[in-house]
Amino acid sequence: MRLFCFLFLILSGPLSQAYPEFIGYKYTSCLTCHYNSQGNGAINDYGRALWAAEIGGRLWAGDKSSEELGESSGFLGKTELPYWLKPGLKARYLWFQSNPGSSSETSDDVLMQAEANLALIFDQSYEFMFVGSFGYAPTPRRFQGQPTADDIENWISRSHYFRWQAMEKLFLFVGMMDKAYGIRIVDHTAFSRAMTGNGQNDQTHGVMAHWVDEGFEFTLHTYLGNMFQEAELRHQGFSTLMEFDVAEAWRVGFSSLVSSNEFVDWKRLAIHSRNGLGHGSSILFEVGLIEDTTPISEQLGYYLFSEVMQKFARGYHLFFTGEAFKSELSSQQPDTIRTGIGLLAFPRSRYEFRVEAQNTRQILSSSQSPNDFWALLMQVHLSL
């Protein structure tokens, strides 16, 4: 279990892309700040200005007002680019230490992401656009030194799609993107992401329709799999996601996912909640069932994710996470529990710093001592 946890965290380390916790700032829909209406990837002009004027800290800001910070949030600061050209750059660096302070302590670091993104707007009403990204992705540690390592592409696109606002409330997406499922939290290693087929490199080619109404959103995503993969590995299927307001800054939702390739059939079902707790603070919750069916076996398991984030100063937040996972609902299978505490800081616009201490515990049975794994993770993110 310790080896599994170490490899899992090192190989697929956290990749921050979307912040559903910002419902604490009264922003319930990801469409407010992102070109992708489910969140992640490039942010629009409003998202840039919001980050600079309200969410980010004031490091090196001097006596600039929030309005002035927002006005200088563009790719080239206050220098305006043509309305149809929206470029961006992202870089993420991860440092990881396992079992700190023990005789088995190990550490590593990796450049998780270095990419450029671009949004091309085809009309001034923003009805038609293309959004894409391209950049460097490191070779996973488990393949380094292996004969197949040279076959792994290090320069990839994790997203490229056309977006069409077909109606006032209907947005259509065609291309490669993350599946619409659950709460798109920042940590791809969380059980709610990694165990549901929504990890760091689980994007798929397909068509997504997103209906956005006041207090209600519904998404249907049909897909053919990642066309860069071998045909037998591509998961084909569909997912759905619905969210609705139950109070101001409180959204409850339901998600489902059904897909298959030549080796396994997936079924996932989840309920989730995002709740703002005062200005800048929030609580997230998601629980779901996971069913994997192969020609020789069938497993039904569960996962749980929860997070409380507390803002204590502009740009600075403490967060506490609690997770659980069980691959099969059987007394013979272990429960895996993970808890964490950390700091999420945006010292100023374009900069993010994240540090987290995690404990992962595997409980085999009441008669056996649990296995514990400790980890310390730090991440630096630059977004231009």
Side-chain angles (χ1 to χ4, degrees), residues 115-162:
E115 72 176 36
N117 57 68
L118 179 66
L120 298 175
I121 316 300
F122 299 132
D123 62 294
Q124 294 192 15
S125 63
Y126 283 60
E127 186 175 341
F128 298 95
M129 67 177 65
F130 170 82
V131 183
S133 67
F134 187 80
Y136 173 79
T139 300
R141 290 289 195 271
R142 65 184 182 276
F143 293 120
Q144 292 181 5
Q146 301 296 320
T148 57
D150 293 337
D151 298 331
I152 298 174
E153 293 290 339
N154 294 118
W155 295 94
I156 66 170
S157 170
R158 287 196 175 99
S159 68
H160 45 266
Y161 56 86
F162 288 93

Side-chain angles (χ1 to χ4, degrees), residues 61-62 76 140 283 352 370:
L76 297 178
I283 181 169
E352 175 190 338

